[in-house]
Amino acid sequence: MSAMLNIAVRAARAAGRVTMRYFDRIDTVKVVSKSRNDFVTDVDRAAEIAIIQELRGKFPDHAILAEESGSHGGNEFEWIIDPLDGTTNYVHGFPQWSVSIGLRVRGRMELGVVYDPLHEELFTAERGGGAKLNDRRIRVSSRRGLEGALIGTGIPFREQHHLDRYLGMLKALIQDTAGIRRPGSAALDFAYVAAGRLDGFWELGLSPWDFAAGALLVAEAGGTVTDLSGGDRFFDTCNVVAGGLKVHRAMLERLRPFVDADLPA
Ligand code: 2AM
Ligand code: CA
C-alpha cells in the first residue's frame, strides 16, 4: 500500500471511530436539517474534523473538498471527503453508512477509500493497483446482462423535479432485472458494485463526495463508470451509472429514453 493510501486509511479509521462512538446512543445526537430532507449531525462534523486533521497534518499544501466544511484551497492534490455517507440511515439506526475519502490529482482520481466501520469492511483502490476489500482483491461481477442482475440506486430525496423521470427509469429496470436495492449510502453502493455484490448502480443528482472514491473503486475492480450518456463527465453532471461492462451497457440503453435537454447526461 502506498504511503498516501495508508494515510487516507488512517483518516477513514479515525472518522469511523467517531461515528461508532455515537451509533448506539443516537438519541443523544442533535440532528439539523441543511435543506429539505438533507440532515447533518455533530457526528458528521466531528468525523470530518478528524479526517482533515489527519490529512492536513501530513499534507498541509493539499486542497480539500469536504461535504460539511466545503472547499479549502491548496495545490493540485485535492482530497474529496464525505465523513458520513448515509446520515439519514445513521440517525435512524439503520446499519448502512460509510466514510468516503478520495484523492483527485489534476482532475484524475488517484486513490479511494470507502470504510464501513460497523461491518469492519475497508474498501481501497489506487489507480492502476486494483481494488481491495480488507486487503483482498475484489472484482465487479461478470454478469452478461440485466437478466438476474441486482441493481442499486438512490431515490431522489432533495430536488424532486426529476422524480417522474426517475420513476420511469426505475420501472424500466425493475422489469428487466432480478431486483433493485436502495441501501442509502451511495459511496457504499459503489463499493458493493466493485465487490460484485451489486451488478450495477445508478443515481441522479449526487455530490462529488458521494462518488469520488467509489467511482475509482469500481474502475479499479474492472468496472465502468460514466454519466448517463456513457461519457466521462459525471463529475460535472453528478448523474452516475456504474457496473460491469455488459450490465453497464444494458443499463445505459434502458436509461437513454429518459435523458434529454431537461436532464443533462
Ligand atoms: P449523505 O448522507 O452523505 O448526505 C445518495 O442518496 C446520497 O444522498 C447518500 O449517499 C446520502 O449522502 C445523500 N442523502 C442526503 N440526504 C438524503 C436522504 N434524505 N435520503 C437519502 N439520501 C440522502
Ligand atoms: Ca455525508
Side-chain angles (χ1 to χ4, degrees):
M1 198 192 291
S2 78
M4 262 191 191
L5 182 58
N6 221 337
I7 289 156
V9 166
R10 206 180 306 161
R13 288 194 188 282
R17 279 193 295 278
V18 174
T19 55
M20 287 300 285
R21 199 177 305 143
Y22 294 97
F23 189 59
D24 55 3
R25 43 189 165 111
I26 295 156
D27 46 325
T28 66
V29 174
K30 197 166 114 225
V31 183
V32 177
S33 178
K34 285 195 278 192
S35 61
R36 186 174 179 275
N37 283 348
D38 197 354
F39 307 102
V40 63
T41 68
D42 292 340
V43 179
D44 297 64
R45 296 202 187 91
E48 184 164 303
I49 288 167
I51 293 169
I52 292 177
Q53 262 175 359
E54 196 74 46
L55 296 177
R56 271 273 143 99
K58 299 285 185 214
F59 311 116
D61 300 334
H62 290 189
I64 285 175
L65 172 64
E67 178 169 15
E68 309 309 339
S69 60
S71 183
H72 313 244
N75 62 16
E76 70 274 24
F77 288 68
E78 183 185 34
W79 294 93
I80 304 178
I81 300 164
D82 190 340
L84 175 47
D85 184 53
T87 300
T88 307
N89 282 346
Y90 183 89
V91 299
H92 285 262
F94 191 97
Q96 184 77 4
W97 39 269
S98 60
V99 179
S100 177
I101 302 176
L103 174 65
R104 188 161 58 160
V105 183
R106 288 178 286 275
R108 200 165 83 154
M109 288 309 302
E110 291 294 335
L111 65 83
V113 176
V114 175
Y115 180 43
D116 172 354
L118 198 55
H119 301 103
E120 291 183 34
E121 292 197 316
L122 177 72
F123 299 86
T124 55
E126 282 179 285
R127 170 167 301 280
K132 290 180 180 162
L133 162 53
N134 292 344
D135 281 331
R136 298 178 69 152
R137 281 296 281 267
I138 49 175
R139 272 200 72 76
V140 294
S141 84
S142 54
R143 193 172 296 282
R144 291 149 85 152
L146 294 180
E147 195 182 335
L150 189 63
I151 304 293
T153 187
I155 299 166
F157 56 91
R158 199 182 306 121
E159 294 174 25
Q160 288 170 357
H161 55 277
H162 290 312
L163 189 56
D164 286 338
R165 194 186 293 269
Y166 173 79
L167 292 175
M169 294 176 164
L170 184 61
K171 186 172 178 189
L173 284 167
I174 286 172
Q175 285 164 340
D176 287 353
T177 60
I180 309 287
R181 297 291 180 268
R182 195 281 190 256
S185 165
L188 211 45
D189 296 339
F190 283 98
Y192 280 21
V193 172
R197 295 172 179 176
L198 289 170
D199 297 295
F201 171 81
W202 94 101
E203 185 162 352
L204 313 179
L206 286 170
S207 299
W209 43 79
D210 296 322
F211 60 77
L216 184 66
L217 278 167
V218 172
E220 286 297 324
T224 309
V225 186
T226 67
D227 55 34
L228 291 171
S229 68
D232 60 4
R233 293 189 50 239
F234 54 91
F235 265 98
D236 301 324
T237 66
C238 290
N239 301 322
V240 193
V241 186
L245 186 67
K246 290 177 180 154
V247 169
H248 175 272
R249 190 184 297 148
M251 287 178 73
L252 278 187
E253 239 167 63
R254 294 302 188 287
L255 300 177
R256 191 169 300 127
F258 303 95
V259 181
D260 59 25
D262 278 347
L263 176 68

